[in-house]
Amino acid sequence: MFRKILIANRGEIAVRVIRACREMGIVPVAVYSEVDRAALHVRLAEEAYALGGSSPAESYLNIEKILAVARSCGAEAVHPGYGFLAENARFVERCEQEGLAFIGPPSRPMDLMGRKTTSRKVMSEAGVPIIPGTMEPIRDERDLRDAAAQVGYPLLLKASGGGGGKGLRLVRDASELASGFNMARSEAESSFGDSAVYIEKYIDDPHHIEVQILADHHGRTVFLGERECSLQRRYQKVLEETPSPFLDDETRRRMGETAVRAAAGIGYRNAGTVEFIVDGRKNFYFLEMNARLQVEHPITEMVTGIDLVKAQLEIAAGIPLDLKQEDIRPQGCALECRIYAEDPDNDFLPSPGRILHLHNPAGGFGIREDSGVYEGFVVPFEYDPLLAKLIAWGKTRDEALRRMRRALSEYRIYGIKTTVPFFKRILSHPRFLGGDYTTHFIADMEKETPIESSEEKRVAVLAAGLKSLWDARHEASYSSRGAVSPWKLRGRAESHSNASLR
Ligand code: ADP
């Protein structure tokens, strides 16, 4: 096993990896940007080195700076977390050249999965069902019209090099085609420096369900159940749960076996996720493969009891998986809320700034919080605003839901806005509680008026009532005595305040 690992990331995922290292007797090494000097991952790591700069390009995306730190501190391996360099085949190659173990797949499968058009081709060849659509980027307007006519409407235009929901455009009919194409291309160019766009059939009202796999260097690949990720806002995941309330055991098994076939077909190693779009009749189609640890990996850990980061480290060190498919028997249900520094009352605008007060609700049976922040920390605006993930496990879905509601009600965070109130709304919605939802759920919910009797509303009404009672009483007493409010005099000279308080 490795003695020292460099973690090329920040926030909650860097903390997550540090914890796994500690438990395995491995020395975790943190790197940090200017604005992250006091970040939690820096405080928790055994060693921490400045990268300088604050923009991602100057710090967490700077391959050569990170490799220089790895060399000088004597790290034997690099864990990339997710985001930043986690799916950068060039970084994997550079690690390989430097003799550093990269905790993830080899550069070739990563490269193959890096572009949506290439991954569709490779998967289709491996016998994995893919969403109907084009296999190559669209060349020009004529190609666009021909391909659209063949695929049919509604369709999705997608950036070949895409990710994070960027460069996606829904086209409902031919009249929207040309403008959708231009918008998708320019968003693809500005987000990924590559304007290539292709077409997929739009599967209406679908589920996004993904399968976690682990593959070692000795030919064993297993699947660890699925995650239902249909609760999305603007194509981005918001809340995930496992098992999916939509799947039956037979479809679950077939999806798991397909995911294993997909991974084996490209020589995949380490932890990975195969994402599927599932239609109303439970037909499933390959969407993409994420060649890294996912944000939502903890829900799988909660039901399987398998620490995925430890498994990643063992696989990278060449240790064979000591798990057989039949050993993996998920227990109970788990869900995860992504707590972002965003204002749900203001179109989810980022809300960076100092956390003035924080009470973590991670207490009590079945609750876990993977956080990257603490009270007093200034959430920088330079990076993804994910603060923490709140995870609840229950013997049944109902118990997990109640537990999550309980934990959310204990959450206290002041100084910045967060998505906690948004989750309270989702977790009191009858359709979500009934497990009856697709990727359209949040857009539909946002069109409804919020429930009047929400906890915040009650607290706000009570607070307003108390204040007016207080004001009325004090107004009466000041005017009858003609005195100045005692609060105004607090902290002034002893004689004054005593005089006024008497
Ligand atoms: P990105 O890589 O940018 O995250 P994905 O291809 O993973 O994009 O898709 C993001 C989300 O968009 C999916 O989870 C799903 O909700 C929706 N989506 C993607 N492709 C389709 C499709 N062909 N039909 C319907 N919805 C889709």
Side-chain angles (χ1 to χ4, degrees):
M1 187 33 79
F2 308 112
R3 281 176 302 107
K4 198 183 248 196
I5 290 178
L6 183 142
I7 300 151
N9 215 304
R10 65 178 301 281
E12 69 83 22
I13 194 61
V15 172
R16 167 74 188 87
V17 179
I18 289 170
R19 287 182 172 145
C21 288
R22 278 272 165 67
E23 290 174 22
M24 295 173 87
I26 299 168
V27 177
V29 178
V31 287
Y32 59 94
S33 67
E34 277 300 320
V35 284
D36 269 344
R37 193 166 284 278
L40 189 60
H41 75 285
V42 179
R43 292 191 168 187
L44 289 182
E46 236 89 339
E47 294 175 28
Y49 298 94
L51 294 171
S54 286
S55 70
E58 291 169 301
S59 51
Y60 303 103
L61 282 176
N62 194 310
I63 294 178
E64 294 311 318
K65 277 189 189 171
I66 290 168
L67 292 176
V69 173
R71 267 194 306 271
S72 69
C73 76
E76 300 154 290
V78 176
H79 195 299
Y82 53 71
F84 294 125
L85 295 170
E87 288 177 284
N88 184 316
R90 166 100 192 105
F91 183 52
V92 184
E93 265 166 33
R94 286 290 292 116
C95 288
E96 287 166 358
Q97 286 162 2
E98 295 278 328
L100 278 167
F102 177 81
I103 300 164
S107 54
R108 196 183 127 72
M110 178 165 295
D111 205 22
L112 290 176
M113 294 300 104
R115 284 183 73 73
K116 289 182 195 281
T117 33
T118 320
S119 69
R120 282 164 60 76
K121 239 183 275 170
V122 172
M123 286 301 151
S124 165
E125 282 159 16
V128 174
I130 58 165
I131 301 170
T134 62
M135 301 300 250
E136 302 288 343
I138 302 292
R139 289 183 304 270
D140 49 36
E141 295 249 347
R142 194 164 148 218
D143 192 16
L144 174 73
R145 277 194 306 276
D146 292 349
Q150 212 172 11
V151 174
Y153 295 95
L155 56 82
L156 265 184
L157 290 161
K158 281 193 179 182
S160 307
K166 300 225 168 63
L168 275 180
R169 271 283 172 292
L170 172 60
V171 176
R172 296 217 168 262
D173 56 51
S175 70
E176 297 174 2
L177 188 61
S179 64
F181 182 56
N182 290 334
M183 282 195 275
R185 271 167 70 98
S186 69
E187 198 171 309
E189 176 65 44
S190 64
S191 304
F192 314 110
D194 173 2
S195 63
V197 163
Y198 72 101
I199 291 181
E200 265 180 25
K201 172 98 194 118
Y202 180 71
I203 311 287
D204 210 5
D205 223 10
H207 284 255
H208 171 130
I209 300 175
E210 59 186 31
V211 177
Q212 175 71 53
I213 60 118
L214 284 174
D216 69 10
H217 289 277
H218 306 272
R220 178 168 293 177
T221 305
V222 292
F223 63 92
L224 284 80
E226 83 283 5
R227 294 183 286 257
E228 170 66 72
C229 304
S230 299
L231 271 193
Q232 300 182 354
R233 203 175 167 275
R234 301 193 178 155
Y235 305 120
Q236 296 268 50
K237 296 167 191 165
V238 165
L239 182 157
E240 304 89 359
E241 67 173 308
T242 185
S244 162
F246 178 65
L247 286 192
D248 54 74
D249 283 346
E250 171 57 15
T251 315
R252 177 171 291 126
R253 186 187 56 75
R254 284 197 296 121
M255 287 177 73
E257 288 169 3
T258 306
V260 166
R261 194 161 70 239
I266 55 164
Y268 194 86
R269 302 284 175 266
N270 216 283
T273 295
V274 184
E275 297 188 334
F276 295 98
I277 283 283
V278 187
D279 71 15
R281 294 207 301 256
K282 299 198 174 77
N283 297 310
F284 56 88
Y285 307 92
F286 172 82
L287 184 60
E288 65 173 348
M289 179 159 189
N290 289 316
R292 55 171 162 85
L293 196 64
Q294 295 276 80
V295 177
E296 57 274 21
H297 75 276
I299 58 172
T300 300
E301 297 184 325
M302 298 295 271
V303 297
T304 59
I306 296 165
D307 185 316
L308 288 170
V309 177
K310 286 186 186 167
Q312 282 193 300
L313 301 185
E314 285 170 0
I315 292 171
I319 300 170
L321 270 176
D322 68 348
L323 272 174
K324 290 201 264 329
Q325 190 61 55
E326 56 272 25
D327 299 336
I328 302 163
R329 291 206 200 94
Q331 301 287 318
C333 298
L335 47 144
E336 173 188 273
C337 294
R338 299 182 179 201
I339 313 291
Y340 279 96
E342 288 177 346
D343 183 358
D345 290 331
N346 196 4
D347 203 24
F348 291 80
L349 272 185
S351 176
R354 187 177 297 280
I355 299 176
L356 298 177
H357 172 72
L358 176 63
H359 170 74
N360 293 41
F365 185 42
I367 291 290
R368 160 176 172 183
E369 196 201 24
D370 280 22
S371 168
V373 298
Y374 55 86
E375 185 172 298
F377 180 62
V378 179
V379 178
F381 69 87
E382 279 84 354
Y383 316 112
D384 182 85
L386 181 67
L387 300 171
K389 300 174 320 203
L390 192 58
I391 302 122
W393 177 88
K395 260 197 327 282
T396 59
R397 185 170 187 265
D398 184 52
E399 187 179 43
L401 290 170
R402 287 168 185 269
R403 205 162 255 162
M404 181 61 95
R405 276 208 300 268
R406 185 270 288 168
L408 285 168
S409 74
E410 290 174 23
Y411 222 108
R412 296 284 178 275
I413 182 157
Y414 300 127
I416 56 170
K417 301 277 188 193
T418 75
T419 47
V420 168
F422 187 61
F423 286 114
K424 289 183 180 169
R425 197 173 156 198
I426 295 173
L427 276 135
S428 60
H429 198 289
R431 256 184 73 202
F432 176 68
L433 297 181
D436 166 30
Y437 63 90
T438 66
T439 55
H440 293 191
F441 173 81
I442 287 189
D444 292 346
M445 185 187 84
E446 285 184 321
K447 284 182 213 137
E448 299 166 4
T449 13
I451 303 156
E452 284 302 322
S453 63
S454 71
E455 191 194 331
E456 274 83 23
K457 284 260 157 56
R458 283 203 302 271
V459 171
V461 168
L462 266 172
L466 281 171
K467 185 170 184 310
S468 58
L469 188 67
W470 172 270
D471 288 351
R473 279 205 181 153
H474 284 260
E475 210 175 285
S477 66
Y478 304 149
S479 53
S480 63
R481 282 187 291 157
V484 182
S485 160
W487 304 111
K488 282 197 177 166
L489 294 168
R490 274 206 92 130
R492 293 191 187 174
E494 196 57 37
S495 55
H496 283 187
S497 50
N498 282 348
S500 69
L501 285 172
R502 244 181 272 130

